[in-house]
Amino acid sequence: MTTSASIPAGSDSATDRSGTVTDRLVDANARYAAEFADPGMDARPVLQVAIVACMDARLDLHAALGLELGDCHTIRNAGGVVTDDVIRSLTISQRALGTRSVVLIHHTNCGLESLTEEFRHELEMEVGQRPAWAVESFRDVDQDVRQSMQRVRTSPFLLHKDDVRGFVFDVKTGLLREVDAA
């Protein structure tokens, strides 16, 4: 499978003779901007939905969910876990930009399933400072989706909590499987 982000044929690494990956991205943006026309959209998502998902590069959320530019707010982090910063983004999304629904998407074969909180200790030993954040690793993806749904539903900062649903995306089939809240 080839994607626009694939390494060009003949390249030995993420960089080639034309510079770094970032240079390649900036060049791609220049080509994009040359054809760009202001879509005249507002920052408010058309579908009034915020999606919280894992940052995993295998998840093309717009394609998988049939979304277009302007349809949703997308909040991504390692694991798609609902952290304090995700609550911050959801609060702004709901209170300032009109979203009413929250969709949570974790996935199969997530890297957080192989980490533990020991990762923080290892970082502390390496750099001399313990990270303020938790790794939020998990062993049971369904249970982690339930925990994330619960964090959204119990947040005092969020206005709209009656349309919160959680899913697991199968990286082999592309299908979503809904996780019951209970």
Side-chain angles (χ1 to χ4, degrees):
M1 178 168 116
T2 302
T3 66
S4 61
S6 294
I7 305 302
S11 291
D12 292 337
S13 69
T15 62
D16 60 24
R17 297 182 218 282
S18 65
T20 67
V21 171
T22 303
D23 291 333
R24 198 172 102 224
L25 298 174
V26 171
D27 290 345
N29 174 255
R31 291 188 299 277
Y32 171 79
E35 303 291 324
F36 184 78
D38 179 0
M41 295 177 173
D42 187 280
R44 295 172 180 270
V46 173
L47 299 179
Q48 297 181 318
V49 63
I51 299 170
V52 178
C54 185
M55 66 185 191
D56 192 294
R58 297 172 290 181
L59 277 66
D60 182 350
L61 295 174
H62 277 71
L65 302 174
L67 297 167
E68 300 292 331
L69 182 67
D71 281 348
C72 68
H73 284 159
T74 306
I75 304 161
R76 295 181 79 156
N77 67 18
V81 178
V82 175
T83 61
D84 286 345
D85 194 58
V86 168
I87 293 293
R88 171 190 164 271
S89 293
L90 288 172
T91 301
I92 293 166
S93 179
Q94 285 189 358
R95 290 180 177 266
L97 297 166
T99 59
R100 302 183 65 79
S101 300
V102 178
V103 173
L104 306 170
I105 301 177
H106 287 35
H107 65 91
T108 58
N109 300 326
C110 184
L112 282 186
E113 292 174 313
S114 63
L115 288 177
T116 67
E117 290 299 320
E118 182 66 19
F119 181 76
R120 292 175 73 225
H121 177 70
E122 292 166 2
L123 281 173
E124 181 180 15
M125 294 296 99
E126 180 182 329
V127 303
Q129 181 178 344
R130 180 167 276 231
W133 39 264
V135 174
E136 297 276 355
S137 60
F138 53 87
R139 297 280 181 247
D140 181 337
V141 68
D142 286 37
Q143 181 55 35
D144 202 63
V145 170
R146 285 186 201 94
Q147 176 176 293
S148 290
M149 285 190 284
Q150 185 65 17
R151 286 178 177 175
V152 170
R153 289 185 174 130
T154 59
S155 173
F157 307 108
L158 299 175
L159 296 171
H160 307 288
K161 304 178 209 179
D162 50 331
D163 190 13
V164 177
R165 293 172 65 186
F167 300 85
V168 175
F169 177 88
D170 188 314
V171 297
K172 300 285 188 208
T173 67
L175 289 173
L176 286 177
R177 177 178 51 77
E178 189 157 9
V179 175
D180 291 330

